[in-house]
Amino acid sequence: MKHTFTFVLLVVAAFGCTHTAVPPVAVSPAVTSPVLVKDPHSFARPAEVVVEHLDLDLTPDFAQKKLSGSATLQILNRTGAGELHLDSRGLVLGSVTADGEPAKFSLGPVDPIMGQDLRVAIGPSTRSVKIVYSTRPDAEALQWLSPEQTASKKFPFLFTQSESILARTWVPCQDTPSVRMTYSATIHAPAGLLALMSAENPTEASADGVYRFRMPQAIPSYLLALAVGEMRFRKLGPNSGVYAETPVIDRAAAELVDVPKMISAAEKLYGPYRWGRYDVLILPPSFPFGGMENPRLTFATPTILAGDRSLVSLIAHELAHSWSGNLVTNATWNDMWLNEGFTRYFERRIMESLNGREYAEMLAGLGLEDLHDEIAAMTPDQTPLLQNLGGKNPDDAVNAIAYEKGAFFLRHLEEVVGRENWDRFVRDYFARFAFHSMDTKTFVDYLQANLLSKNPEWEKAAAVQEWVYGPGIPSSLPLIRSDAFTRVEQQARGFVSGTPASQIDTAKWSTHEWIHFLQSLPKKLSRSQMDDLEHTFHLSTRNTEIRVEWLVASIANGYEPVYPAIERFLTEQGRRKYLKPVYAKLMETPAGRTRALDIYRKARPTYHSVSRDTIDKIVGWPAS
């Protein structure tokens, strides 16, 4: 696949720097990236003028569902350009000033995916641009929850989701991951509610509702985050804790007790944690993702609160993003695998450190099954690691290619060069490119120059071109070995052959073994077999990962007793990963389609726009 065009700056200097120790909370300079890449999803022109710092002053209005206030941008005019180009989508603009003086501004044509190019007239020495604005009630990054949609049922709640290109719907900015900036903010929240950001955070609500934030490390715009609601804090470790609504906080603290161990395991692998604190916010159920790696404050779905810590590998994933993604960031969303593939690989290394190789192999085995399933539904041009997403919504490319194919490529490299050599390379990679952006070509060149060229056999076996630019799954795919899954498959064959469910020994099964068991069964089961599994194991009420597998299998088999549980599931949470397979399976039959539309009509207003956009396509919801 042809690489998107790139111009590289300072690469020689970056490659030539030496590895030096860094303090855990170093303040990084803004926008000194070794690569500047033309981003197909941004109007920004950072090669001309770049934003170095953002200062926000915003007031959330829950009644009108809008944020209002100002964004002050500290800029560097690199070329003497006469205009600053920003990304904007649906913002209601007021006044614009440059260095305190009124400035002319205009908006370009509306692009259905990218929004509009906000052009502000500046001079060669202009250092500050202030934009007074407000958001619209339908701003896609924002979800305004009524008290009834929260755990307490007493207070409203607001949260943001800026990734991939939704920061522009609540902040005028250079909304590209190739630009990093520091930021500060003042948030005027309703009295009694706590405001949190991807920054230095309070642990208690202020009396007057005014909060001031500071993010001293430079971050890309998609890591801007805000939450306002009734929340409590519990300490987990010396630099970690958890926030959640009052009815949820005790469960959350018990579930995430191992977070300090995860931080320690991650640091031993790939170097110091560079963000100061690592806290987690458990959001209300409508949060569309499993987690969002906002620096200092991971946003997480309540679906991970299984009661037995069986789903906390998700936290390991978001923690790993503190290195792969937050620290070294994909330059554009075409390079998403550099964020997600590295993070999936790193996540499994963390879980291996905590729970052993067999546990990590089960995670890898399930990931490989997902990869095979998704590739089977794709065209070949959709399956290289380097994507071509121009003209497409990058959220539509959040799939197993970036996550699983990327992770297996890195595991393949580990096996080619040996774990010790690989870990040394990755540790150095994170240190050398900390607080910078990285595109695929530059990474491949760096990999070649700093690792593979040291041994001709490594260079040949790595098959880099095939993995990065080729379709499908290369023949050098690492072999996954799981004795636990082998035993599960034997149990599944026994059940199909007539062994009652009550005789299956599941006492020590992990969530991964349950999922593999269900995936190992035939697609079609008899009514008596479905009854036996449900009555023996109560699968429709197990943790969310197991439940999704069972609900999809129940739909495929027309198993009516589970349909009330399906409706409850689709109306009680809004995580896109779980909604997609259930709605998709319902839509395969006329009767299921009727059910899906009836449920979606009720549930759609409670979903975040990220989930709505995806499910709208699945069910054929009419465009507004």
Side-chain angles (χ1 to χ4, degrees), residues 330-343:
N330 52 216
T332 76
W333 298 110
N334 289 336
D335 310 293
M336 189 186 302
W337 77 275
L338 288 171
N339 275 21
E340 299 300 348
F342 259 100
T343 299

Side-chain angles (χ1 to χ4, degrees), residues 28-73:
S28 69
V31 284
T32 55
S33 180
V35 293
L36 281 176
V37 180
K38 181 170 176 56
D39 188 339
H41 296 106
S42 175
F43 294 109
R45 299 181 185 178
E48 298 175 0
V49 186
V50 69
V51 175
E52 295 186 305
H53 180 81
L54 166 71
D55 183 64
L56 294 170
D57 191 310
L58 295 172
T59 299
D61 185 329
F62 282 91
Q64 297 190 52
K65 296 183 178 180
K66 71 176 184 178
L67 293 171
S68 58
S70 64
T72 302
L73 308 166

Side-chain angles (χ1 to χ4, degrees), residues 348-390:
R348 288 172 184 156
R349 291 292 303 277
I350 293 172
M351 297 311 294
E352 179 181 334
S353 296
L354 296 179
N355 297 330
R357 178 74 173 184
E358 178 61 48
Y359 188 93
E361 285 295 86
M362 287 192 286
L363 288 172
L366 293 176
L368 183 57
E369 291 174 5
D370 289 343
L371 180 59
H372 280 299
D373 288 344
E374 291 208 25
I375 284 182
M378 292 175 168
T379 57
D381 65 298
Q382 295 174 311
T383 61
L385 287 179
L386 179 62
Q387 294 283 291
N388 181 10
L389 302 177

